[in-house]
Amino acid sequence: MAEIELQEEKVEPAGNPAADVESDETNNSNAEDRHLAKNSRSDLENYRDGDVGVPTKKSGIPGATMNFVNSIIGAGIIGLPGALNKAGFCFGLFLMLLVAMMINYGVRHLVECGLQVRKRSYEETMMHVYGAKGFYMASAAISLFAYGAMVVYHIVIGDTIPKIFQTISPDSILVDRTLVVFLYSIIFMLPLSLLKNMASLEKTSALSFLCVIVIVVTVTIEGVRVSPYEDMSGLQANHLLINEQWFAGAGTMAFAFVCHHSSFVVYESLSNHTTKRWAITTHASIGISVFFSLWLSIAGFLSFQTQTDGDILNNFRYDNTAINVARGLLALTMVFTYPMELFVARYSVLQSLKLRGVIHSGNENIYFYTITFLLWSSSLLIGAFLSDLGVVLELIGVLCGAVVGFIFPGLVSLRVFGFHRLKEQMRSAYKDRKDNGKLYTCKEKYIATWNLCFPMFMIVFGCVIMIMG
């Protein structure tokens, strides 16, 4: 892919095939540079690149990869077979790969844009290129997305643990969904949510990932065993090819794969974080996540086809022992995944408060624990009383995932590297010659086209998903 050509230590658009820039395009590019410089000087007097909530302990590439994988394939993975059902089998597979490709490009390119303007978070990068309004828009979108994930994880707890106890002990008080969610969250989720360093979760992230593997294998085996279908011959064209509800499926996919809100946090937790090591981490993380997501999606859809539920585990009976083990493991992964989403939401809120001058060195800890408790308790209250996982996944995906994962990263890329500059580079690649008189190669033309067109495509795709969803 062309974006791989980005230079490792000096972050610029891949290839850079432009020749001499015409005067009007130069003026436009210079205007963009002056706008960035103006914002970087920061009339936001109260804000500095602080470290409230920034990880101080470091992980190697394997640890950072496990943390990133854990951030990507949380509760969203069990909703992907249902997303495939809503999008249509063939188009759903294409859509899932397309979303994954944009995520792979976006999370890496977003950090590279941050490095280009010397910023260390999604919100700071947005502030640098779009001023205070960019900071607050990014903070709001990221906080809502992460917070929505926190609510989803509580819903998953309510969908798993009580069903296990319905089989083990039908008369137990632990069949009460609300009670179980409260107890589980207080005992297991809250303590880990008080951690200040994501690097502390790298071993639990590896354990969570192993649980996901077992869940995928279990659903595959049990799905084949209990499936009422022998083949796909009974599927209508809209379910086999493309369904008119594909945008709802895309929302679930966006929720499952969007991890931009964690990108800078994971990058900061990576020891010796060069762009090369970050590229290895993102490629590995998203590659692993896509593999198991496709596996579960295909296996789940082939087993239940048009009956596929928004939570694939709900397609199985409560007394299925193997699936109950999978339900228990899924609940266990929520313990380790939930703190990562709370970490991101908390970081975004704390940085917004610091920007307004509310937080200073004397009260950092007070705000840290207060915001942690408010985010945890409110997400617990909402998740304990909601039960429709599929709708919540779609809603968060189309409203917040599209903005965080597609629209903002595309806008940042065009602003940091300059829309007019990228346009001139693309024009030069097709019409001009190099300084040595040679024509630009096909690869250089492709790279110049990619650098301009792909961010624009991401913006359009995100808008379509958000509006139609």
Side-chain angles (χ1 to χ4, degrees), residues 178-234:
T178 303
L179 177 63
V180 167
V181 173
F182 270 87
L183 290 176
Y184 197 89
S185 186
I186 292 171
I187 296 172
F188 298 111
M189 291 179 165
L190 179 59
L192 287 179
S193 298
L194 297 175
L195 292 174
K196 291 187 176 182
N197 292 289
M198 182 174 285
S200 303
L201 295 172
E202 66 177 67
K203 292 182 175 59
T204 61
S205 294
L207 177 60
S208 178
F209 175 59
L210 290 176
C211 292
V212 169
I213 295 176
V214 175
I215 292 169
V216 171
V217 173
T218 302
V219 169
T220 302
I221 295 173
E222 288 299 304
V224 172
R225 190 177 68 82
V226 305
S227 175
Y229 304 100
E230 294 184 359
D231 52 43
M232 301 175 67
S233 59

Side-chain angles (χ1 to χ4, degrees), residues 74-190:
I77 192 171
I78 63 174
L80 289 177
L84 207 60
N85 180 32
K86 290 199 171 183
F89 182 72
C90 294
F91 186 71
L93 292 177
F94 166 77
L95 194 60
M96 198 175 298
L97 291 172
L98 177 63
V99 168
M101 183 178 72
M102 287 190 287
I103 299 301
N104 183 45
Y105 172 87
V107 294
R108 191 159 50 85
H109 204 60
L110 183 65
V111 169
E112 288 169 348
C113 286
L115 296 178
Q116 178 80 356
V117 297
R118 296 179 175 84
K119 299 301 174 184
R120 59 192 294 185
S121 76
Y122 196 148
E123 299 93 330
E124 291 172 19
T125 304
M126 281 287 290
M127 181 178 69
H128 183 86
V129 297
Y130 291 109
K133 64 179 182 295
F135 181 93
Y136 288 120
M137 286 191 300
S139 294
I142 291 169
S143 297
L144 288 173
F145 185 83
Y147 185 78
M150 292 160 59
V151 172
V152 165
Y153 297 157
H154 280 114
I155 295 175
V156 170
I157 297 302
D159 284 349
T160 54
I161 301 298
K163 292 176 181 178
I164 296 174
F165 280 97
Q166 284 179 11
T167 301
I168 299 174
S169 179
D171 297 327
S172 171
I173 62 172
L174 295 180
V175 299
D176 185 301
R177 185 182 189 279
T178 303
L179 177 63
V180 167
V181 173
F182 270 87
L183 290 176
Y184 197 89
S185 186
I186 292 171
I187 296 172
F188 298 111
M189 291 179 165
L190 179 59

Side-chain angles (χ1 to χ4, degrees), residues 2 5 14-18 422-434 438-454:
E5 300 295 325
N16 193 19
L422 292 173
K423 185 175 68 172
E424 177 59 22
Q425 289 174 0
M426 179 177 168
R427 187 202 65 78
S428 298
Y430 284 92
K431 292 186 177 181
D432 298 339
R433 292 177 177 268
K434 299 180 183 180
K438 294 183 179 180
L439 294 173
Y440 288 96
T441 65
C442 292
K443 180 180 179 180
E444 289 171 327
K445 293 178 180 179
Y446 169 72
I447 292 173
T449 303
W450 177 277
N451 287 333
L452 174 65
C453 295
F454 197 71

Side-chain angles (χ1 to χ4, degrees), residues 60-72:
I61 290 178
T65 298
M66 285 298 98
N67 280 336
F68 215 17
V69 168
N70 200 26
S71 176
I72 300 170

Side-chain angles (χ1 to χ4, degrees), residues 255-295:
F255 177 88
F257 287 112
V258 165
C259 50
H260 303 63
H261 56 303
S262 301
S263 57
F264 281 92
V265 177
V266 176
Y267 176 78
E268 288 292 335
S269 74
L270 178 65
S271 60
N272 186 26
H273 43 250
T274 63
T275 53
K276 180 178 180 180
R277 286 170 62 82
W278 175 238
I280 294 172
T281 301
T282 54
H283 287 319
S285 302
I286 295 172
I288 292 170
S289 301
V290 170
F291 175 77
F292 285 100
S293 296
L294 283 172
W295 181 352

